[in-house]
Amino acid sequence: MLCGHQEVSGWSSTLFTLYAVFGRHPIVNMLLQAVFVLFLSYVIYNLLYVRQFSASCGKYKQPGQWYFIKRVIVYLNCLVRTWTRPDDGGKPSADRPRLKSEFPIAQNEFPQLLQSHPSALDSVYMNGVDSHGNTLVAKISRRPGRTAEVWLMLRLADGRYFHFPRFPDTSVYNTDGKSYTAGGLQFTVLQPMLKWRICFNGLLRAGQRDKWNGEDEGKLVHVQFAFVWTAFTGSFSNNFDIDASTLSDAIARETWSLAYRDALAKFSRALQRYEVWGGYLGTITIAEEPERELLLRGVKDHTWGKLDWDLFDRYIINWAYLEDGTVYSIAAVSLPRMMSHFVYGYVTFPSGQRSVIKKTDLHLSCLGEFTDPPKKFCFNVLAGEVNCYITTHQKQEQILYSGNGWSVKIHEQLTDVTLNGVRGWGVTQYMYRHGGDCPVPQQRSLPLLHEPAAADIKTARLLVLPFRDPACASSQVVGGKGSQLALLSQMKENFIVPNGFCLTVASYKHHLQDNASLEAAIQHLQDVAYGKQEGDLQALSKAVMAQFSATKLSLSIEAAVLRELNALFDNEWQHKPFAVRSSAVGEDGAEASFAGQMVTFLGTIGLSEINKAIVKCWSSSFANQVIEYRRNHGQVVAADMGVCIQEMVQADTAGVLFTRDPVSGNPGIMTINVSYGLGEVKRLMFWQRFSNVLYYISVVGLSAIL
């Protein structure tokens, strides 16, 4: 262990800062001089009379020779850090007063930019409990490479238990890489630091499973839930709100050096974390059971930065909500290279007063050090000035694995608790190092198809674009359907896309410019739809469609269509049947989809018929149902339009596959709507289940089944 100037120099700036701020006041100056004399006396005493002794007991460090002076230095450093903490920058309001200790700003609530590092993450963890035994645990941890870790556990009041079907593995691939969405679970910020939406629509495994089995998925059940989480406490930041006495105790036990100081500072900057407590109000549906409403209360934990699991040996975190409204979060963590044992946390009482943990006998060495975590344990904490005696009793435990190659083993326990005799419910989380093998094959997310950036589009002003043209992959250039066909055409090794091309938005605008009266009629329709003028919207819709259908393509557009037909199909196009399909800008999105409300013409043969179909596709954009749908969903009424012209496949049967049930969103039901030839006919429907996936098939007649 280092001593003297070299050992203390890394922290001496704190003392100088204090002196610079307060040293000019006479009384404060006298007090600082007295402190300096005591400090010097303590140093001399340690050098002359105190023998050096071992500062470790197993892997957990004990107070050493310079423990007390180091603790004072760290304590003062923590005070300065508290004084200079960042503010949230927002203005207090009646519905959300500013909390003095509040660190997170609004931007921290949203998905964070992942660093280019294998340990980078952006994680949101949420749990909720109630007095009836209903418990929800949900987590999405965004990782580089469009991967994520998903935790999802649901225990109902009747004792039934459901969990994420990949458990004990938590890896999910092919996420969007931008939002808190993975595996059917979605977190959405509604109002920063106040409201979030938590949704799930997918399959969960019924019953307990702690070991990986790639051959048997178990019993999968369709589960849907949607909650709005509303905060009822302020935030607790691990970077700023931890009590100075517990932090100084943990750091003062360690061997100090300049390298140690730098490592501690680096770890503090690398990872950001805060917690907020709130209530969940929403509904949940299990399979075909009636919908039930739940009110849960629990914590939201947001962690982002670089999480290097190699730095951790173990940790335990206790979260609980009590029947009198008290909540607490109390943790103990072992970071062998920085703090061999560190405890922190808080208790928030029904009055809203939060008291940080100043002292506790919670110690990792007594909680499953060489065995599995205990099913029952108790400990004492001093929260502010209140002594708390806490008991914890496990009622359900889920084992899961995290980190690259299952480097970490998690025991997630659903618990019943008491605090000074007051009953409550909670979650206790244990982390262990896992030295075993990972039986789950490592995967990579597939390349994500992207629309081209606006700056990369060089041919957007052309009247027509073939599917293979890079600009055709832009929905702003050719509409939604056209861009998707172009993107699929880029994946020739995976998909066979019949050849074709698109009339661009530029063609549509060119057509409107050639028909000034039509453009004026559309403007009048928009004014009525937006309430700027009085009028019969349905009658105007019919009038615009009739006027549009009566127009003809300009010679320049006809020439462009003819030129592209010859380029793609030579002279054979004159006898080929084509599909002429509407393709509007914004027709397919996460919040709304109106693509199926516009027309498609199948089996179109000859240039004259193709040209007529193009005009009718444009005209269908002003059908009354399309106008009403767009208006009700806050979209542009007169959306720009493209048109797809695609070679028809001479199929014996044709249909549509929905990989989720189009009504319920159940991923366990795939719906196939199929018929002979190209006509729309009456359909016979039947169900069949294959490997936990229920297929719904619609066919023309019984002969198709045979």
Side-chain angles (χ1 to χ4, degrees):
M1 177 180 293
L2 299 176
C3 61
H5 175 73
Q6 184 178 3
E7 183 178 5
V8 180
S9 60
W11 307 88
S12 58
S13 60
T14 299
L15 298 177
F16 288 113
T17 301
L18 289 171
Y19 185 79
V21 175
F22 300 106
R24 296 182 180 181
H25 195 285
I27 297 178
V28 175
N29 193 30
M30 291 176 58
L31 290 174
L32 288 176
Q33 290 179 12
V35 169
F36 178 75
V37 171
L38 291 173
F39 167 75
L40 186 61
S41 301
Y42 177 80
V43 171
I44 295 172
Y45 175 78
N46 271 273
L47 290 173
L48 296 178
Y49 299 105
V50 178
R51 297 174 58 188
Q52 180 75 15
F53 58 89
S54 173
S56 65
C57 180
K59 61 184 177 183
Y60 303 110
K61 299 291 183 64
Q62 301 301 310
Q65 183 179 14
W66 300 99
Y67 168 78
F68 292 104
I69 191 62
K70 290 194 291 185
R71 186 169 183 181
V72 170
I73 293 172
V74 178
Y75 190 91
L76 295 176
N77 188 75
C78 291
L79 292 181
V80 173
R81 183 176 174 85
T82 301
W83 294 333
T84 59
R85 67 178 300 156
D87 195 7
D88 64 359
K91 294 183 179 180
S93 60
D95 60 342
R96 185 181 178 277
R98 177 180 298 168
L99 301 172
K100 181 179 179 181
S101 63
E102 191 165 67
F103 156 66
I105 57 178
Q107 290 84 346
N108 291 340
E109 285 277 87
F110 295 93
Q112 301 296 301
L113 180 65
L114 289 174
Q115 303 177 36
S116 57
H117 191 278
S119 300
L121 89 163
D122 178 17
S123 174
V124 175
Y125 169 93
M126 308 185 80
N127 66 44
V129 299
D130 69 8
S131 60
H132 305 291
N134 296 299
T135 304
L136 173 68
V137 174
K139 175 182 176 181
I140 297 176
S141 183
R142 298 172 53 239
R143 293 284 191 172
R146 293 177 43 240
T147 63
E149 290 185 0
V150 173
W151 301 7
L152 187 53
M153 303 164 56
L154 176 65
R155 181 184 170 94
L156 301 179
D158 57 14
R160 287 185 295 167
Y161 174 66
F162 306 90
H163 62 79
F164 196 61
R166 285 188 61 86
F167 276 5
D169 186 53
T170 57
S171 301
V172 173
Y173 302 89
N174 300 305
T175 67
D176 65 6
K178 298 178 181 179
S179 64
Y180 297 120
T181 305
L185 182 64
Q186 183 177 39
F187 301 153
T188 306
V189 181
L190 301 180
Q191 186 174 349
M193 301 306 299
L194 188 62
K195 287 183 181 293
W196 283 57
R197 180 186 291 118
I198 303 94
C199 300
F200 177 75
N201 188 346
L203 301 177
L204 295 182
R205 181 186 293 132
Q208 182 82 31
R209 180 178 291 187
D210 293 328
K211 294 183 179 180
W212 174 259
N213 186 339
E215 304 297 327
D216 179 18
E217 292 180 328
K219 181 182 178 182
L220 301 183
V221 178
H222 181 217
V223 176
Q224 299 180 74
F225 62 72
F227 293 97
V228 172
W229 175 92
T230 304
F232 58 67
T233 72
S235 64
F236 179 89
S237 167
N238 278 31
N239 300 78
F240 292 97
D241 290 325
I242 292 173
D243 184 69
S245 61
T246 58
L247 181 59
S248 61
D249 171 66
I251 295 177
R253 294 169 182 261
E254 303 299 320
T255 303
W256 282 14
S257 66
L258 293 178
Y260 172 72
R261 181 200 63 180
D262 294 341
L264 201 61
K266 182 179 179 181
F267 178 77
S268 177
R269 292 191 299 267
L271 200 64
Q272 305 291 323
R273 179 174 179 264
Y274 63 89
E275 296 180 352
V276 185
W277 286 78
Y280 304 75
L281 179 61
T283 59
I284 184 169
T285 304
I286 309 295
E288 303 299 325
E289 299 177 12
E291 181 181 84
R292 65 190 77 187
E293 186 173 284
L294 294 180
L295 174 60
L296 309 175
R297 295 173 177 86
V299 73
K300 175 178 69 69
D301 174 316
H302 188 191
T303 304
W304 73 96
K306 290 190 292 187
L307 179 60
D308 186 357
W309 283 119
D310 291 338
L311 298 176
F312 289 77
D313 179 60
R314 286 185 60 204
Y315 71 65
I316 177 176
I317 308 178
N318 300 276
W319 294 286
Y321 171 82
L322 307 183
E323 60 185 356
D324 67 353
T326 299
V327 299
Y328 67 75
S329 172
I330 303 171
V333 59
S334 177
L335 299 160
R337 302 179 197 174
M338 284 169 288
M339 293 175 285
S340 61
H341 195 271
F342 172 43
V343 293
Y344 64 91
Y346 57 91
V347 178
T348 301
F349 296 99
S351 63
Q353 176 186 354
R354 185 177 67 204
S355 298
V356 294
I357 303 303
K358 296 183 176 295
K359 187 184 298 183
T360 178
D361 58 6
L362 179 71
H363 203 283
L364 290 170
S365 62
C366 303
L367 299 170
E369 180 71 22
F370 304 106
T371 62
D372 289 336
K375 296 183 181 299
K376 297 181 181 180
F377 66 94
C378 57
F379 60 99
N380 296 278
V381 298
L382 177 62
E385 303 301 323
V386 180
N387 288 301
C388 303
Y389 175 70
I390 297 174
T391 67
T392 303
H393 180 202
Q394 169 198 320
K395 59 184 180 183
Q396 182 91 41
E397 180 182 69
Q398 177 66 55
I399 295 175
L400 46 92
Y401 296 89
S402 182
N404 294 328
W406 284 17
S407 58
V408 170
K409 183 179 183 181
I410 302 292
H411 294 254
E412 194 81 355
Q413 295 184 349
L414 314 184
T415 58
D416 291 326
V417 304
T418 64
L419 189 154
N420 292 342
V422 180
R423 191 167 59 109
W425 311 269
V427 177
T428 297
Q429 186 179 113
Y430 293 87
M431 171 262 170
Y432 289 84
R433 301 293 305 169
H434 178 63
D437 296 330
C438 174
V440 183
Q442 295 295 305
Q443 302 179 37
R444 287 187 178 182
S445 296
L446 297 173
L448 188 62
L449 295 176
H450 293 282
E451 292 189 21
D456 298 332
I457 299 175
K458 308 299 183 184
T459 54
R461 294 185 179 181
L462 295 180
L463 298 178
V464 298
L465 289 173
F467 290 163
R468 64 175 181 272
D469 191 299
C472 195
S474 171
S475 60
Q476 297 301 312
V477 174
V478 298
K481 191 180 285 91
S483 69
Q484 295 301 309
L485 288 170
L487 287 170
L488 288 174
S489 297
Q490 297 175 13
M491 303 180 64
K492 296 180 180 179
E493 67 279 4
N494 300 104
F495 298 97
I496 300 175
V497 180
N499 205 2
F501 62 95
C502 292
L503 273 77
T504 65
V505 169
S507 288
Y508 174 74
K509 292 180 177 179
H510 186 279
H511 186 77
L512 293 182
Q513 291 172 0
D514 284 350
N515 296 271
S517 60
L518 177 60
E519 198 168 16
I522 293 173
Q523 183 59 54
H524 179 52
L525 174 66
Q526 289 187 89
D527 291 341
V528 172
Y530 295 145
K532 296 180 180 180
Q533 296 183 19
E534 295 292 332
D536 186 339
L537 190 60
Q538 186 172 359
L540 284 172
S541 170
K542 290 181 179 179
V544 169
M545 288 185 67
Q547 186 176 349
F548 213 133
S549 299
T551 61
K552 295 183 179 181
L553 293 181
S554 66
L555 294 178
S556 57
I557 296 178
E558 281 193 17
V561 171
L562 179 60
R563 186 167 54 251
E564 200 62 38
L565 287 169
N566 285 320
L568 294 178
F569 307 103
D570 295 325
N571 293 326
E572 297 180 4
W573 66 266
Q574 300 181 43
H575 307 290
K576 282 182 176 291
F578 289 91
V580 183
R581 312 173 70 185
S582 304
S583 179
V585 174
E587 66 181 2
D588 286 314
E591 301 298 329
S593 177
F594 56 88
Q597 299 179 16
M598 293 176 291
V599 299
T600 288
F601 296 92
L602 303 179
T604 307
I605 300 176
L607 182 61
S608 176
E609 293 301 314
I610 291 174
N611 290 341
K612 291 178 182 178
I614 291 171
V615 174
K616 289 180 179 179
C617 283
W618 284 338
S619 171
S620 69
S621 178
F622 299 97
N624 185 64
Q625 70 270 17
V626 179
I627 297 296
E628 291 292 351
Y629 186 92
R630 288 174 179 165
R631 189 173 66 158
N632 292 335
H633 287 78
Q635 296 185 333
V636 177
V637 170
D640 289 336
M641 283 282 292
V643 176
C644 304
I645 299 176
Q646 189 175 18
E647 179 183 5
M648 293 285 296
V649 174
Q650 297 299 317
D652 295 328
T653 57
V656 179
L657 166 64
F658 298 88
T659 56
R660 282 176 173 258
D661 184 89
V663 177
S664 69
N666 185 353
I669 296 179
M670 301 179 71
T671 303
I672 302 174
N673 192 328
V674 61
S675 64
Y676 287 115
L678 304 177
E680 294 184 4
V681 296
K682 295 182 179 180
R683 294 178 282 275
L684 176 69
M685 295 162 281
F686 69 95
W687 305 85
Q688 191 164 355
R689 181 181 294 273
F690 296 101
S691 182
N692 275 317
V693 177
L694 193 60
Y695 295 88
Y696 163 76
I697 304 179
S698 169
V699 296
V700 182
L702 192 58
S703 61
I705 302 176
L706 302 177

